[in-house]
Amino acid sequence: MYLLDDSPEAREMRANVVRLLETRDSQNIALACQLMEGGGVPPEAEPLLQKYFQSAYIEEIAKVPKVALPYVRDVKGYYYENTIAFPPELEFCKRLESLYIYALDDDLEVLPDWVGNWKLLRTFYIGNSKIASLPATVGKWTRLTEFNLGRNKLMELPATVGNWISLQTFTCQSPNLEALPETVGEWRQLTQFRLYGSALAVLPDSVQHWKALQHFELWSSSLTSLPDAVGAWRQMKYFYCKSGQLTSLPAVVAHWKNLEAIDISYNQITHLPTEVEHWEKLMYFIAGENKLKALPAEVRNWQKLEFVDIGSNDLQALPIEVGNWRKIKEMRLYENKLTDLPMAVGKWEKMYFLNLANNQLTSLPDAVGKWKKLHTLKLNNNRIASLPDAVRNWYNLTELHYQRNKVTSLPDAVEGWDKLEKVYLAYNQLSALPAGVEQWRKIEYLSLRYNLFEEIKLDMSRWENLQYFFASKNRLRALPEGVATLKHLKQLDLSDNQIADFPSDVEWSWNLVAVNLKKNKLKEVPTSLLKFKYLRDLFLSHNEISALPTDLRIGDWDELRRIALDGNPIPALPDVLFELGSIYTIYKDHKTRLSPYTISQQDYRRKIDVYSL
């Protein structure tokens, strides 16, 4: 039936086509096109098709019915995933305003010259590709406002990009891009510039015309300095120049009076210019992994600062002016050369997270007692012997890293830390804990490794939430009281102590998955260990054990994966050990990879490895 004749059937079919087109539903559009195939497009359907394709995003032109292809030329948006070449029909989409293409396996290599036909183009986005150059015809995109070219192989930009006079956002990831043409200075409406992983070594002086720029990102470049032209960026709010070769910032950054965040980490910067005093709106300062030796007194004006990361530098002291940072909440000062903190830090009353690890601190000032909102404190790898009593005010503290110092005791003031969840006290000189630590009712993780404990005079049963307890490398002769009653305990490490007795008449938590008792003085495997049904790792090496329990049965250790028995005078391993279906490693002989004991070929086929830790 011919759709355009005057028969009642044709009139009814045309009415159906119009009704389907009026819904503007993609499935109904496809059905209407099916009805029109071979029968022609009725006049009343033409404006509906034009209107639909003018506003629709076409996902794949190859799937557009032939009868509708003439109207695709009016399409304003094109979206497609997994393509290796441009559909040739796009050449005729002269009204195209938005293009989104996600290339398949980075196989898209070329932009054809005819992309210059898209004179109305506003948004250009192509995901990962192998595009190495842009044709000069892209200069015809004079209305372009957003350009985004994901990971690519672009080596240069054509000078014609200077015609993108409406450009507001430029984003590109080009490891081979070494320079920008001077014509980029014509991007006078540019507000956001992002260039990732490039080989860019210099910014052209013409960037002085980017006076509307607010957001600048340049990561992993070869840039060694910023030109004075950046002083024209007086609207700058977010400046990120990370992982480059910068050695300093120019004095013209004084003009960045609207700056709110700056990230200059992973550079070679040795000092900050005094002109940073004009950054009075700064809230985030990130300059980790540089070579800063000091902060200028002018940082006093950063009174809105909330986040600071100046870790891994060469700072030997903080100026007293940091006391003006009264809104600071998070600070990272790790891996510097700080020997003390100024009393002015007591003004950081909103401090929530503080990392002072890997410095040369010997003490903390009493002023730290003002940090009443402190949540996480990292003091590891310093030279601190004790904490001031003022820390009693840290009643919001939940995580303390205090390992690798010279701590001989904890103050009684720690009793008030009843929100504490994680405590790291390893590698110190502790021999006792104050009774007040029993109030750490929320403690989940406690490490006392490498200290001088001969006994732990505490009732650990009060730590009902404890899941991880590590006290290896001490001088313990017995298990701490109450440790066996901890229902949530998952990992227990008491290795390298002098424990000779492991109580067998105690009901242990069944949640234990790892027990390490190596290098003690145990003479037998405690029968209570047979009750750990979820046990996965059991290390008993280097004790005085001469035999395994005679009542060991299959099923006692259903989940056991590894057992270490090396360094014990055990004459033979019981067969039942090799019959545990879940086990895959038995540590027995420290001299050879395989045990000298006879193991059946069947056991070999099961690939049970028998070797030392």
Side-chain angles (χ1 to χ4, degrees):
M1 175 181 58
Y2 187 58
L3 196 61
L4 300 182
D5 64 27
D6 198 35
S7 65
E9 294 84 359
R11 288 197 297 272
E12 182 179 356
M13 185 69 72
R14 289 198 296 272
N16 287 336
V17 167
V18 170
R19 280 194 294 271
L20 289 169
L21 292 176
E22 286 177 339
T23 65
R24 300 180 62 79
D25 177 79
S26 58
Q27 292 184 347
N28 287 338
I29 298 294
L31 181 57
C33 290
Q34 266 188 342
L35 294 176
M36 291 185 289
E37 284 291 344
V41 178
E44 57 266 47
E46 288 189 6
L48 294 172
L49 281 171
Q50 288 174 345
K51 189 174 182 179
Y52 173 75
F53 284 112
Q54 282 177 357
S55 59
Y57 273 82
I58 303 302
E59 295 189 0
E60 186 178 356
I61 286 184
K63 293 182 180 180
V64 175
K66 291 183 180 180
V67 70
L69 279 178
Y71 306 95
V72 172
R73 298 184 180 188
D74 294 329
V75 69
K76 291 185 177 181
Y78 178 80
Y79 174 92
Y80 188 51
E81 292 187 7
N82 302 335
T83 187
I84 59 174
F86 275 88
E89 292 84 354
L90 275 176
E91 178 179 357
F92 307 103
C93 297
K94 296 185 178 182
R95 294 182 179 272
L96 194 68
E97 294 182 5
S98 301
L99 176 73
Y100 296 90
I101 292 181
Y102 296 84
L104 176 64
D105 297 327
D106 301 353
D107 284 338
L108 189 60
E109 297 183 2
V110 179
L111 284 184
D113 287 339
W114 49 254
V115 299
N117 292 344
W118 306 332
K119 296 180 181 180
L120 302 180
L121 192 67
R122 294 178 182 275
T123 303
F124 176 89
Y125 177 93
I126 292 183
N128 301 335
S129 69
K130 293 181 180 178
I131 294 175
S133 63
L134 299 179
T137 53
V138 299
K140 297 180 180 180
W141 300 346
T142 57
R143 298 190 182 186
L144 190 69
T145 60
E146 182 177 354
F147 178 86
N148 191 324
L149 188 60
R151 189 175 68 243
N152 58 77
K153 295 188 176 182
L154 206 62
M155 301 183 69
E156 62 179 358
L157 295 176
T160 55
V161 298
N163 295 334
W164 297 350
I165 57 176
S166 299
L167 192 67
Q168 296 177 16
T169 302
F170 177 89
T171 304
C172 192
Q173 183 175 348
S174 305
N176 300 321
L177 188 63
E178 296 182 356
L180 298 176
E182 284 287 339
T183 54
V184 298
E186 300 302 321
W187 300 349
R188 303 195 179 201
Q189 296 185 39
L190 191 69
T191 59
Q192 299 183 42
F193 178 89
R194 299 180 180 90
L195 182 57
Y196 304 117
S198 76
L200 193 68
V202 65
L203 289 175
D205 288 336
S206 61
V207 299
Q208 64 182 303
H209 298 300
W210 295 354
K211 295 182 179 180
L213 194 65
Q214 297 180 15
H215 187 121
F216 178 88
E217 288 189 50
L218 181 61
W219 288 26
S220 301
S221 72
S222 300
L223 200 66
T224 57
S225 64
L226 296 175
D228 286 342
V230 302
W233 301 348
R234 303 196 177 195
Q235 303 302 317
M236 179 60 61
K237 290 184 177 181
Y238 311 102
F239 181 84
Y240 306 112
C241 193
K242 181 177 179 180
S243 301
Q245 302 296 322
L246 291 178
T247 57
S248 63
L249 297 177
V252 294
V253 297
H255 297 302
W256 296 355
K257 295 182 180 180
N258 292 303
L259 192 67
E260 295 181 10
I262 182 169
D263 184 346
I264 47 175
S265 56
Y266 293 92
N267 278 284
Q268 306 292 322
I269 297 174
T270 58
H271 68 281
L272 298 177
T274 57
E275 287 77 10
V276 298
E277 66 179 328
H278 297 287
W279 297 351
E280 295 181 1
K281 296 182 180 181
L282 192 66
M283 292 190 291
Y284 301 90
F285 178 70
I286 304 172
E289 301 287 344
N290 274 283
K291 296 181 179 180
L292 291 172
K293 297 184 182 300
L295 297 178
E298 285 73 14
V299 298
R300 68 169 70 90
N301 291 348
W302 298 357
Q303 295 182 24
K304 293 187 177 181
L305 204 60
E306 295 183 6
F307 178 95
V308 172
D309 183 351
I310 41 179
S312 292
N313 276 281
D314 295 323
L315 296 175
Q316 298 181 13
L318 297 178
I320 59 173
E321 287 79 7
V322 298
N324 283 11
W325 300 351
R326 300 196 179 196
K327 293 187 177 181
I328 193 73
K329 296 178 181 178
E330 184 169 343
M331 180 175 288
R332 302 170 191 271
L333 286 163
Y334 59 90
E335 294 180 13
N336 277 284
K337 298 177 181 179
L338 300 176
T339 56
D340 58 18
L341 299 178
M343 289 294 293
V345 300
K347 298 178 182 179
W348 298 345
E349 295 183 5
K350 294 186 178 182
M351 184 62 70
Y352 181 85
F353 177 100
L354 179 59
N355 188 343
L356 289 164
N358 295 88
N359 277 280
Q360 299 173 21
L361 296 173
T362 57
S363 64
L364 297 180
D366 289 336
V368 300
K370 300 287 185 66
W371 301 343
K372 296 181 180 180
K373 295 184 178 181
L374 190 63
H375 178 276
T376 301
L377 177 62
K378 296 188 177 183
L379 293 171
N380 45 296
N381 289 78
N382 277 283
R383 302 172 183 177
I384 301 173
S386 62
L387 296 174
D389 288 337
V391 299
R392 69 176 68 254
N393 295 327
W394 295 352
Y395 37 73
N396 284 304
L397 192 66
T398 62
E399 188 170 334
L400 175 65
H401 295 251
Y402 198 16
Q403 66 269 36
R404 295 185 183 273
N405 276 276
K406 296 184 177 181
V407 185
T408 56
S409 64
L410 295 179
D412 292 335
V414 301
E415 178 180 356
W417 299 350
D418 55 5
K419 294 182 181 179
L420 208 55
E421 295 177 1
K422 297 180 180 179
V423 181
Y424 301 79
L425 294 169
Y427 292 91
N428 278 294
Q429 300 171 27
L430 289 167
S431 59
L433 295 175
V437 301
E438 292 183 359
Q439 303 304 316
W440 297 351
R441 301 296 179 88
K442 293 186 178 181
I443 190 76
E444 296 177 0
Y445 183 106
L446 177 60
S447 175
L448 300 174
R449 289 172 166 153
Y450 288 84
N451 275 284
L452 305 175
F453 288 98
E454 294 184 1
E455 59 180 331
I456 297 178
K457 297 180 180 180
L458 296 172
D459 182 3
M460 292 181 59
S461 64
R462 299 193 179 192
W463 294 342
E464 296 179 355
N465 294 300
L466 192 64
Q467 300 178 36
Y468 305 92
F469 180 60
F470 306 113
S472 59
K473 284 285 184 178
N474 277 280
R475 303 170 183 176
L476 295 174
R477 295 186 174 86
L479 270 65
E481 180 184 351
V483 67
T485 65
L486 299 173
K487 295 181 180 180
H488 298 288
L489 193 63
K490 294 179 180 179
Q491 294 187 24
L492 176 66
D493 185 357
L494 297 173
S495 59
D496 285 276
N497 278 287
Q498 300 176 28
I499 299 173
D501 182 35
F502 195 93
S504 300
D505 56 348
V506 177
E507 285 292 332
W508 281 81
S509 166
W510 280 15
N511 290 313
L512 272 167
V513 296
V515 175
N516 190 347
L517 293 169
K518 70 178 184 179
K519 294 188 178 180
N520 275 283
K521 296 184 177 182
L522 296 175
K523 297 188 181 326
E524 61 183 7
V525 177
T527 57
S528 57
L529 289 178
L530 301 180
K531 300 176 182 179
F532 297 172
K533 292 187 177 295
Y534 301 112
L535 193 64
R536 288 175 175 262
D537 298 315
L538 177 59
F539 299 114
L540 297 169
S541 53
H542 297 283
N543 275 278
E544 300 173 13
I545 300 171
S546 58
L548 294 183
T550 56
D551 54 348
L552 179 62
R553 304 182 309 276
I554 296 177
D556 284 335
W557 291 329
D558 289 339
E559 302 292 330
L560 194 65
R561 297 291 189 271
R562 298 186 298 171
I563 183 171
L565 296 167
D566 55 301
N568 283 287
I570 302 176
L573 298 176
D575 292 338
V576 68
L577 201 57
F578 295 96
E579 296 172 6
L580 295 172
S582 61
I583 200 165
Y584 64 80
T585 303
I586 301 173
Y587 300 100
K588 172 60 183 74
D589 190 339
H590 66 281
K591 293 182 179 179
T592 57
R593 172 72 177 180
L594 295 176
S595 169
Y597 301 96
T598 302
I599 301 177
S600 68
Q601 290 299 315
Q602 180 181 359
D603 291 326
Y604 275 122
R605 285 195 298 271
R606 287 179 55 213
K607 296 182 179 179
I608 295 179
D609 293 326
V610 183
Y611 59 99
S612 174
L613 278 171

